Amino acid sequence: MRGSEPTPVRDPACCPQTRALLLETARSLHIRRYLEIGAGEGGTAEAVFKATGAEIVAIEKDPVRAVHARERFEKGGVKGRLYEGDAGEILPLLGGTFGVIFLDGPKAQYRKYFPDCKRLLETGGVLFSDDVLLYGWVRGEPPKKRRMLVEHIREYLSLLEADPGFSTQYFEYGEGLAVSKKLR
Ligand SMILES: C[S@@+](CC[C@H](N)C(=O)[O-])C[C@H]1O[C@@H](n2cnc3c(N)ncnc32)[C@H](O)[C@@H]1O
């Protein structure tokens, strides 16, 4: 018996194309601060730090992943902070602004997080929202058991598209990526 040894976790990092676009955007905007909601094991956030030197603020709810991310940040000399906890509780407490925000936490909560993302994103900054097309279900017909989640994502995308303060482009990377520039 291995007792209380933590269960190994698979690193749920975003797909390589999403990461590449994120890094290219962060570099070209010369961002000073970066926020990641749903940091997983911190690999993407660390890559942003290495590419830009920006201050990293990352939120991760899963305690095992948060420990791995924190260790990674310490080892990599990442400047910033890893918050362990629920993004819904932590986001309202954050201040200042960020050049890029990567929304990659619980998909059903994107809509709820949007007002804070809007408040925290600087004008000219970019919001990346990952996994918003979900195997084509969001634009098509989802299986019955995924309908509720798809409905949440559709509501989020309607909000984003209807907001005159944002201009959004979609990329068929992974399960679908929305890239939204804050215009004002
Ligand atoms: C797709 S993974 C993130 C991958 C990471 N962004 C990367 O590219 O390496 C989504 C993460 O969101 C975390 N998560 C789920 N619900 C959360 C919540 N309410 N608050 C913060 N993080 C949450 C999960 O534990 C999971 O690690």
Side-chain angles (χ1 to χ4, degrees), residues 34-36 38-50 54-60 65-84:
Y34 167 82
L35 171 62
E36 189 165 318
E41 301 203 349
T44 303
E46 185 190 28
V48 172
F49 174 74
K50 285 188 174 156
E55 178 194 345
I56 305 296
V57 176
I59 308 172
E60 174 52 50
R65 286 184 181 153
V67 165
H68 288 198
R70 193 168 285 125
E71 282 171 2
R72 189 193 288 260
F73 285 7
E74 279 166 14
K75 215 168 150 193
V78 173
K79 176 183 75 180
R81 178 159 181 191
L82 187 284
Y83 289 89
E84 180 187 329

Side-chain angles (χ1 to χ4, degrees), residues 35-38 59 87-88 90-106 109-130 156 159-160 163 165-166 180-182 184:
L35 171 62
E36 189 165 318
I37 301 161
I59 308 172
I90 293 163
L91 279 173
L93 308 177
L94 298 181
T97 54
F98 297 85
V100 166
I101 297 179
F102 185 24
L103 183 47
D104 196 21
Q109 302 298 321
Y110 280 13
R111 190 189 161 155
K112 186 177 146 199
Y113 298 162
F114 184 58
D116 279 311
C117 289
K118 202 169 154 175
R119 172 180 67 83
L120 292 166
L121 189 64
E122 58 195 40
T123 302
V126 178
L127 171 64
F128 281 70
S129 312
D130 208 10
Y156 171 64
L159 206 65
L160 197 57
D163 194 316
F166 283 89
S180 311
K181 191 172 180 77
K182 185 172 172 180
R184 52 178 187 254

Side-chain angles (χ1 to χ4, degrees), residues 131-139 157 170-172 175-177:
D131 305 323
V132 291
L133 299 178
L134 282 182
Y135 314 105
W137 299 335
V138 171
R139 300 296 192 213
L157 295 182
Y170 292 94
F171 294 84
E172 304 267 345
E175 287 170 32
L177 173 72

